[in-house]
Amino acid sequence: MKKFCLFLGTVLSVFLLSGCGQGNIEMLDFVDVNFRGLDTRGTASYSVDYERLHNYLIENDKELEFESQNVYYDDQQLEEMLGISLDKSSDLSNGDSVTLTLDIDSSKVKNLVGGDKEFVVEGLDEAKKLTTEELEKHLVVNFNGVSGLGSATIDNTLPGELGYLGFTLVDDGKFKNGDLAKIEITEDLENRLADNGYLLDDDFDPSFEVKGLDEVAEKATDIANLDDIKRMIDEEVNRSYKDWNPEASYGSRYEIKEEGLFYRQFVRDSNDSQFSFNSATNNGNLVKILNVKRYYGGTENKLNTEFTAIIGFSDLFLDEENKVNVADLITIKDTKDSTYSVESVVQLYEGYGYNRVEE
């Protein structure tokens, strides 16, 4: 087998030399461990001094004996042969010990010597602490939506670079009035704080009281003035399907059969689109499902069309007396043509989260 000496630069090239000296090379002398970051969250990394290794080889007329016949070895390939590892590389504190190990791959290179070397962690920066009081002071949290599905908007007024940090709350989107919303402590948040020289205080636990969310009844029968809303639905039905000149042949007459009253506390999700484009899809919905037949006017009593109508209101928000302000209601109107049976429409709405109101 031919013997090659190693030339180390941007690319490590192996040249066939004559008269090269023999002897093992202690590679631990050419690998160093570096520490950076904050005390208690420091990190360790190693570096190989290829330039010094190259100079050493030249000055001492050393050669490396490779089993492979390849003539080019770059830095990464050489590192793989060295088998470099650290027993700890993160969450380090000043004064800790870190062991560097070189497990030389002797099947690829014969005269490199590895081993273990211990390093003491030093030079990590002392961190500032972000406290509960400071964060509660500098985060302005507002809660929006309905109780049970409330979400938060957060404005950050922390000084300097910390003002660009984004904070989130645990269970955002599921808040109800009276909850204590907690900051979600993620690895990304801790890393970004550390990048700015901060760690969380040991007893860091900020919380924000959830309040101001609209209240929606769990069941329709929990609404104190339910009868008023039912009456308003009936009035809307009468306005929508009122006979028009029923005695004349050009007129129309309606026959209406109620199929039931249905209530849904919460919208299922943002993609819930069972209503037409101009209808509400909000929370606290009460609708009546009706079978509607429209007849031509005159004496023939001939059926013109048949369909299913859905009429009601959304945004049935409760006050402290569990009453709904009927002046704030949003009208719901939808229809399904004769290709839908009434039974199918009822099943659809039950699938959308509606429950029949037992009267």
Side-chain angles (χ1 to χ4, degrees):
M1 183 187 69
K2 296 180 180 180
K3 294 183 178 180
F4 294 87
C5 288
L6 191 62
F7 175 84
L8 296 166
T10 304
V11 176
L12 298 179
S13 303
V14 181
F15 294 91
L16 180 61
L17 299 178
S18 60
C20 290
Q22 300 290 333
N24 292 331
I25 301 173
E26 297 284 346
M27 285 303 299
L28 282 170
D29 294 336
F30 299 94
V31 183
D32 197 13
V33 175
N34 309 292
F35 304 105
R36 65 182 300 273
L38 301 178
D39 191 18
T40 72
R41 281 183 58 88
T43 60
S45 61
Y46 64 83
S47 58
V48 181
D49 193 337
Y50 293 107
E51 183 177 358
R52 191 163 68 88
L53 176 59
H54 164 60
N55 292 333
Y56 173 84
L57 293 172
I58 293 177
E59 291 171 4
N60 294 275
D61 196 21
K62 294 279 187 177
E63 66 179 14
L64 299 180
E65 183 180 344
F66 292 94
E67 293 293 340
S68 170
Q69 295 302 311
N70 293 335
V71 296
Y72 292 106
Y73 284 87
D74 62 20
D75 296 355
Q76 182 178 355
Q77 288 174 304
L78 183 60
E79 273 192 29
E80 291 173 357
M81 294 177 189
L82 300 180
I84 306 174
S85 63
L86 297 170
D87 66 336
K88 291 182 291 185
S89 61
S90 61
D91 296 327
L92 300 174
S93 302
N94 287 322
D96 287 349
S97 294
V98 173
T99 300
L100 171 72
T101 299
L102 269 64
D103 186 12
I104 306 296
D105 187 348
S106 59
S107 68
K108 294 183 178 179
V109 61
K110 296 297 185 182
N111 48 352
L112 298 184
V113 177
D116 297 331
K117 186 176 181 179
E118 190 174 273
F119 293 81
V120 176
V121 179
E122 58 183 359
L124 299 179
D125 297 327
E126 192 68 30
K128 300 175 184 177
K129 293 297 182 74
L130 181 62
T131 66
T132 295
E133 294 75 14
E134 187 175 11
L135 195 67
E136 288 180 344
K137 175 183 176 181
H138 285 285
L139 289 191
V140 181
V141 181
N142 289 286
F143 297 97
N144 309 286
V146 294
S147 183
L149 291 179
S151 59
T153 56
I154 302 176
D155 291 298
N156 178 0
T157 65
L158 285 166
E161 293 297 319
L162 294 184
Y164 296 100
L165 294 179
F167 291 90
T168 57
L169 300 176
V170 178
D171 290 333
D172 193 5
K174 300 179 181 178
F175 295 131
K176 60 181 183 295
N177 287 322
D179 284 348
L180 283 180
K182 303 281 189 178
I183 291 294
E184 187 170 17
I185 301 174
T186 63
E187 183 179 355
D188 179 66
L189 173 61
E190 291 189 301
N191 289 338
R192 294 186 66 186
L193 282 168
D195 290 341
N196 288 280
Y198 278 82
L199 296 178
L200 297 178
D201 195 51
D202 293 339
D203 57 355
F204 183 82
D205 189 27
S207 61
F208 304 86
E209 182 184 358
V210 179
K211 54 187 177 181
L213 299 174
D214 293 319
E215 292 283 354
V216 179
E218 182 178 355
K219 304 185 298 295
T221 51
D222 294 335
I223 301 172
N225 57 338
L226 178 61
D227 288 341
D228 292 336
I229 301 168
K230 289 162 60 177
R231 184 189 70 252
M232 293 177 64
I233 292 176
D234 290 338
E235 291 171 353
E236 189 67 34
V237 171
N238 292 333
R239 283 192 294 270
S240 299
Y241 304 111
K242 184 178 180 180
D243 293 348
W244 180 70
N245 288 334
E247 304 301 326
S249 60
Y250 55 81
S252 59
R253 180 177 61 82
Y254 289 94
E255 181 181 296
I256 298 173
K257 179 183 177 183
E258 296 184 3
E259 298 298 332
L261 192 67
F262 296 82
Y263 178 75
R264 182 184 67 184
Q265 181 183 19
F266 295 134
V267 64
R268 207 174 43 173
D269 54 51
S270 60
N271 296 317
D272 195 349
S273 56
Q274 73 271 26
F275 299 119
S276 57
F277 69 92
N278 62 346
S279 298
T281 58
N282 296 323
N283 301 290
N285 290 12
L286 183 68
V287 300
K288 184 170 283 188
I289 297 179
L290 313 128
N291 176 251
V292 180
K293 293 180 179 179
R294 184 172 65 188
Y295 294 87
Y296 290 109
T299 59
E300 293 187 10
N301 199 34
K302 184 178 179 182
L303 182 65
N304 174 264
T305 185
E306 182 176 0
F307 57 93
T308 302
I310 302 94
I311 293 181
F313 299 105
S314 74
D315 290 7
L316 276 67
F317 301 141
L318 302 179
D319 62 16
E320 293 180 354
E321 297 178 346
N322 286 342
K323 290 184 177 181
V324 172
N325 185 348
V326 296
D328 294 334
L329 298 181
I330 297 176
T331 302
I332 294 172
K333 282 188 178 181
D334 194 21
T335 58
K336 299 292 183 182
D337 62 28
S338 59
T339 61
Y340 289 85
S341 67
V342 174
E343 293 78 13
S344 294
V345 175
V346 169
Q347 188 175 1
L348 278 174
Y349 274 73
E350 289 174 340
Y352 294 140
Y354 286 81
N355 294 300
R356 185 183 292 270
V357 179
E358 301 298 335
E359 301 181 72

